Amino acid sequence: MANWPPAILLFALLIPLLFNAVSCKTLKRDVKALNEIKSSLGWRVVYSWVGDDPCGDGDLPPWSGVTCSVQGDYRVVTGLEVYAVSIVGPFPIAVTNLLDLQRLDLHNNKLTGPIPPQIGRLKRLKVLNLRWNKLQDVLPPEIGELKSLTHLYLSFNSFNGEIPRELANLPALRYLYLHENRFVGRIPAELGNLQNLRHLDVGNNHLVGTIRELIRIEGCFPALRNLYLNNNYLTGGIPAQLANLTNLEILHLSYNKMTGIIPSALARLPRLTYLYLDHNQFSGRIPDAFYKHSFLKEMYIESNAFRQGVNPIGVHKVLEVSDTEFLV
């Protein structure tokens, strides 16, 4: 073989790999799990799932929405994306047997009931997207065992109870969407320890507490860009320490019960682009530094108790009659 031309030698080395990729079978555990899921879903999903092997068999292609990868002598399921097909019923618990799953996307369906605690078995999961369903109950603390998770989308459901502190155990988490649910209690300050978190959205819930409580951990939220706390029952003022979140670009505080003045320190956020303060009980004046900010594009201020002469910035919502003094 040492005297063979390089091209022939390379081909000879690739033959076993190509043969293995074509001939290897799908892990029986994954085949069983997907067939259990198939039997529990409606016809809109399964009509295109032909054959017994979800990764494809012979001339049959992989099932729609199923992604497979070769690991050693077997193929394993690494992705399941079945969304907007009107899946009805409880979360398919057989999904938690797909131990090599990296992406699970079941958004925009009609799933009901809770997320099962067995979700914690999916140690390799990076993306979990369950938004726009009818899921209920509390979030299982076992979600905190998904150490590889980078994206968690649970918005537009009916989850209740408190936001579990175990979410702070997800070191790779970058995007956390929990808005439009029925969460109560305080936002766990432990979330501030997530070194990679860029986007936190807990808007449109029933949350209480203050921003001061949320950012009480020194050095919290070092990578946070977007913070959505709107449409809750938050009280207290805006602490000057919020200016320590130097990567913040969007701060959404609308429709809460917050009071006090707007600290001038907030204008030191170098990347602040959108500031939503409307529909609270803020008072005083907007510091001049906000009007000189080089990045700030929009500032919503209506329905507060600001002094006459305070102006919004950018395109803003139609102001109420009682707020006409704030018009530019």
Side-chain angles (χ1 to χ4, degrees):
M1 183 179 293
N3 296 323
W4 289 5
I8 296 178
L9 179 60
L10 178 62
F11 183 72
L13 293 173
L14 286 175
I15 286 178
L17 297 176
L18 294 172
F19 179 78
N20 182 59
V22 173
S23 63
C24 65
K25 295 294 184 180
T26 304
L27 198 64
K28 289 183 178 180
R29 177 201 67 201
D30 289 3
V31 173
K32 179 181 178 182
L34 260 299
N35 276 282
E36 287 181 9
I37 296 169
K38 177 180 178 179
S39 66
S40 68
L41 301 183
W43 67 270
R44 295 190 183 200
V45 180
V46 302
Y47 80 94
S48 62
W49 286 7
V50 180
D52 295 325
D53 192 334
C55 296
D57 189 10
D59 295 331
L60 295 176
W63 292 357
S64 175
V66 175
T67 302
C68 300
S69 302
V70 176
Q71 290 189 7
D73 297 329
Y74 294 94
R75 293 180 298 185
V76 296
V77 176
T78 55
L80 180 60
E81 301 175 75
V82 186
Y83 49 84
V85 288
S86 298
I87 297 175
V88 177
F91 182 96
I93 197 168
V95 166
T96 63
N97 292 325
L98 299 171
L99 301 185
D100 293 290
L101 205 61
Q102 297 180 22
R103 185 180 185 92
L104 176 60
D105 189 345
L106 302 176
H107 83 271
N108 199 10
N109 284 296
K110 299 178 181 179
L111 295 174
T112 56
I115 297 177
Q118 293 91 328
I119 194 75
R121 302 179 66 202
L122 303 179
K123 307 298 185 186
R124 299 186 179 184
L125 198 64
K126 295 180 179 180
V127 177
L128 177 58
N129 188 354
L130 300 175
R131 61 186 172 186
W132 287 106
N133 276 285
K134 299 181 179 181
L135 294 165
Q136 302 162 305
D137 213 340
V138 299
L139 292 185
E142 287 80 3
I143 285 185
E145 299 174 12
L146 307 178
K147 303 299 185 182
S148 299
L149 206 63
T150 60
H151 296 66
L152 180 57
Y153 303 96
L154 300 178
S155 50
F156 296 98
N157 280 284
S158 296
F159 293 116
N160 54 45
E162 296 188 353
I163 297 173
R165 285 176 168 78
E166 287 80 2
L167 292 177
N169 298 331
L170 304 175
L173 194 64
R174 298 172 65 186
Y175 298 91
L176 178 57
Y177 289 80
L178 300 177
H179 59 284
E180 292 283 353
N181 279 287
R182 299 175 183 175
F183 290 115
V184 298
R186 287 168 164 75
I187 309 165
E190 291 85 350
L191 295 179
N193 290 323
L194 294 173
Q195 297 295 302
N196 295 299
L197 191 65
R198 296 184 178 183
H199 185 105
L200 174 60
D201 190 345
V202 294
N204 289 87
N205 281 286
H206 305 290
L207 299 168
V208 298
T210 66
I211 294 180
R212 188 176 300 277
E213 294 170 336
L214 177 61
I215 63 171
R216 69 174 184 264
I217 298 175
E218 186 175 356
C220 64
F221 298 110
L224 196 65
R225 296 180 180 177
N226 306 323
L227 179 58
Y228 289 77
L229 304 175
N230 55 291
N231 294 78
N232 281 291
Y233 299 96
L234 301 183
T235 55
I238 300 177
Q241 293 88 340
L242 194 61
N244 294 331
L245 278 58
T246 54
N247 286 305
L248 205 60
E249 299 176 3
I250 298 175
L251 178 60
H252 202 333
L253 304 177
S254 304
Y255 289 93
N256 277 288
K257 298 180 179 295
M258 300 185 67
T259 57
I261 64 173
I262 308 303
S264 59
L266 198 63
R268 294 202 300 265
L269 287 169
R271 300 181 181 180
L272 187 64
T273 308
Y274 298 96
L275 178 60
Y276 300 84
L277 305 172
D278 56 288
H279 296 86
N280 279 284
Q281 299 167 27
F282 293 122
S283 57
R285 299 186 65 88
I286 301 291
D288 291 340
F290 283 95
Y291 298 100
K292 301 175 183 178
H293 198 289
S294 57
F295 274 83
L296 190 61
K297 293 181 178 179
E298 294 185 10
M299 180 171 64
Y300 292 67
I301 64 169
E302 59 267 26
S303 292
N304 279 288
F306 289 122
R307 291 172 56 186
Q308 186 172 357
V310 172
N311 298 324
I313 291 177
V315 179
H316 51 85
K317 299 176 184 177
V318 176
L319 304 186
E320 298 174 359
V321 174
S322 59
D323 298 318
T324 53
E325 67 234 49
F326 302 141
L327 287 171
V328 177

